[in-house]
């Protein structure tokens, strides 16, 4: 992890400064981060649970080659879609990227919509039992056999706090919650609450992009259509033809799972589109719930010049190179 930096004016040591730009999908956070990084000569660390996967480009709104040429991006394309990428691995990758950016004397902007990854980076991870491959295999087999409702009901009984935060189709987190419970008999939510994601390895300016709910939903619907017009279904077809199994972690993401099923089984196209839009809107709503707990300073992306001045002041106050 990046070590503390001696403040140029006070001589005291403080955590390394970073700027965090968070927000729900389609909020405009990536465009804002790109504009700020370009003005500041900074680099961007992605905090997105899907942009880590190679080959998942259109449906993850991954920055284009041109955008990455303008501003370096990190923690993108670091895993195969067959891999289970964790918050712990993200923190290690992000810490390494931040060290390297700071060694080049450039400001660090962390941008993403995965709240767990941001919490892991800013405060650490709750202690939990390591993954049990055999148990996970049994849970996954039960899920794939159509026992989703029963597994979710088990989680509701064992860890109602965690279950209340999850959608009944959130396979990854439901299975992890059950795994932790079956291994140690302690709810994952209790471990997380006891830890509290404490500690501050970075001095972070935490900005959240605020968009009126109705406008956000309209943006989501338009963006889903734009992604489909850009060839999202063909991207999924290519992944499947290359041998990526339907159960791969990368294909469990919203949109990818619906399109993979449509490519394999067919169906009414309009229903597929509507399902992706609806699932994405629901996901954005959950993102907002998570972000409201993160003590973000909510800003309007359109006010980016004022935000730029605020970011400059923060970085200068905390001794960051500009």
């Amino acid at each position: 992890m990046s070590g503390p930096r001696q403040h140029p004016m006070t001589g005291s040591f403080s955590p390394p400064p970073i700027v965090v730009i968070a927000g729900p999908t389609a909020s405009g956070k990536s465009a804002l981060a790109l504009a700020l990084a370009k003005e500041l000569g900074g680099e961007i660390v992605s905090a997105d649970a899907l942009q880590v996967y190679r080959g998942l480009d259109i449906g993850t709104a991954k920055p284009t080659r041109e955008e990455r040429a303008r501003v370096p991006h990190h923690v993108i394309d670091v895993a195969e879609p067959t891999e289970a990428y964790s918050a712990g691995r993200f923190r290690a990758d992000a810490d390494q990227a931040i060290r390297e950016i700071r060694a080049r004397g450039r400001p660090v902007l962390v941008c993403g919509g995965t709240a767990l990854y941001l919490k892991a980076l800013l405060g650490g991870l709750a202690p939990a039992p390591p993954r049990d491959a055999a148990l996970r295999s049994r849970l996954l087999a039960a899920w794939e056999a159509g026992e989703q409702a029963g597994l979710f009901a088990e989680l509701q009984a064992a860890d109602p706090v965690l279950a209340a935060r999850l959608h009944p189709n959130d396979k990854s987190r439901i299975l992890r919650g059950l795994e932790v419970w079956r291994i140690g008999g302690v709810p994952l939510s209790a471990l997380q609450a006891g830890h509290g994601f404490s500690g501050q390895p970075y001095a972070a300016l935490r900005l959240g992009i605020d968009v009126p709910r109705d406008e956000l939903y309209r943006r989501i619907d338009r963006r889903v259509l734009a992604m489909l017009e850009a060839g999202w279904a063909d991207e999924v077809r290519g992944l499947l033809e290359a041998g990526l199994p339907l159960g791969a972690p990368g294909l469990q993401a919203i949109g990818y799972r619906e399109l993979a099923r449509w490519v394999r089984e067919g169906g009414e196209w309009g229903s597929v589109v509507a399902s992706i839009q609806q699932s994405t809107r629901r996901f954005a709503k959950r993102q907002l719930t998570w972000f409201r707990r993160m003590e973000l300073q909510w800003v309007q992306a359109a006010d980016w010049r004022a935000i730029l001045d605020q970011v400059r002041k923060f970085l200068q106050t905390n001794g960051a190179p500009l």
Side-chain angles (χ1 to χ4, degrees):
M1 183 182 303
S2 281
R5 177 187 181 92
Q6 189 171 23
H7 194 284
M9 294 183 286
T10 67
S12 61
F13 288 88
S14 59
I18 62 174
V19 176
V20 174
I21 301 173
T25 184
S27 61
K29 59 185 176 296
S30 298
L32 175 62
L34 191 69
L36 294 175
K38 190 171 183 298
E39 289 288 329
L40 296 167
E43 301 185 24
I44 295 173
V45 176
S46 170
D48 186 290
L50 297 178
Q51 291 185 359
V52 300
Y53 289 123
R54 303 181 187 98
L56 274 64
D57 301 328
I58 297 174
T60 65
K62 196 173 289 180
T64 64
R65 291 180 182 273
E66 293 76 14
E67 289 169 337
R68 283 187 259 184
R70 288 165 54 198
V71 172
H73 287 67
H74 306 271
V75 199
I76 289 177
D77 293 336
V78 295
E80 295 298 331
T82 51
E83 297 180 64
Y85 191 90
S86 67
R89 181 172 168 186
F90 166 77
R91 179 171 181 172
D93 288 346
D95 281 339
Q96 178 64 27
I98 291 170
R99 281 196 297 269
E100 294 171 357
I101 296 168
R102 285 174 50 77
R104 290 190 285 274
R106 307 187 73 177
V108 178
L109 293 91
V110 179
C111 175
T114 303
L116 180 61
Y117 284 14
L118 293 172
K119 284 186 176 182
L121 180 66
L122 297 174
L125 290 163
R131 292 186 181 276
D132 182 314
L135 174 57
R136 176 54 67 95
S137 180
R138 292 195 300 272
L139 290 169
L140 183 60
W143 183 281
E144 299 297 341
E147 299 177 25
Q148 297 97 323
L151 291 169
F152 187 62
E154 180 185 347
L155 183 66
Q156 287 177 308
D159 191 346
V161 174
L162 175 62
R165 298 200 298 256
L166 302 181
H167 188 278
N169 293 332
D170 193 340
K171 179 173 70 174
S172 178
R173 291 182 176 86
I174 290 170
L175 297 189
R176 178 56 175 160
L178 288 174
E179 182 182 36
V180 170
W181 169 254
R182 290 190 184 184
I183 291 173
V186 179
L188 179 58
S189 63
L191 294 173
Q192 292 171 337
H195 177 74
F197 291 97
S198 60
Q200 295 188 8
Y202 299 104
L205 175 62
R206 307 180 185 204
L207 303 177
I209 307 304
D210 189 24
V211 181
R213 189 71 60 90
D214 290 346
E215 171 60 21
L216 179 64
Y217 288 173
R218 285 192 292 270
R219 290 188 190 183
I220 287 171
D221 288 347
R222 291 196 299 266
R223 189 163 82 158
V224 168
L225 293 176
M227 288 174 168
L228 292 169
E229 291 172 1
W232 192 3
D234 290 334
E235 178 177 278
V236 174
R237 181 178 290 106
L239 291 169
L240 292 172
E241 290 176 349
L244 188 65
L246 282 173
L251 289 185
Q252 306 314 302
I254 293 172
Y256 281 92
R257 60 174 176 256
E258 291 90 347
L259 290 171
R261 191 179 307 116
W262 178 80
V263 169
R264 284 287 176 87
E265 303 173 4
E268 204 279 311
W269 178 245
S271 297
V272 174
V273 175
S275 176
I276 296 173
Q277 290 173 324
Q278 182 181 57
S279 295
T280 308
R281 292 193 301 268
R282 287 174 175 168
F283 175 63
K285 184 178 180 181
R286 295 197 300 274
Q287 285 180 298
L288 287 169
T289 299
W290 298 330
F291 287 136
R292 296 295 178 188
R293 302 170 182 154
M294 288 186 61
E295 299 181 356
L296 301 176
Q297 176 188 338
W298 293 93
V299 297
Q300 303 285 332
D303 299 330
W304 82 275
R305 283 289 179 185
I307 296 171
L308 175 63
D309 291 340
Q310 180 183 6
V311 169
R312 275 204 177 102
K313 182 176 180 180
F314 167 81
L315 292 173
Q316 290 169 345
T317 300
N318 286 275
L322 283 175

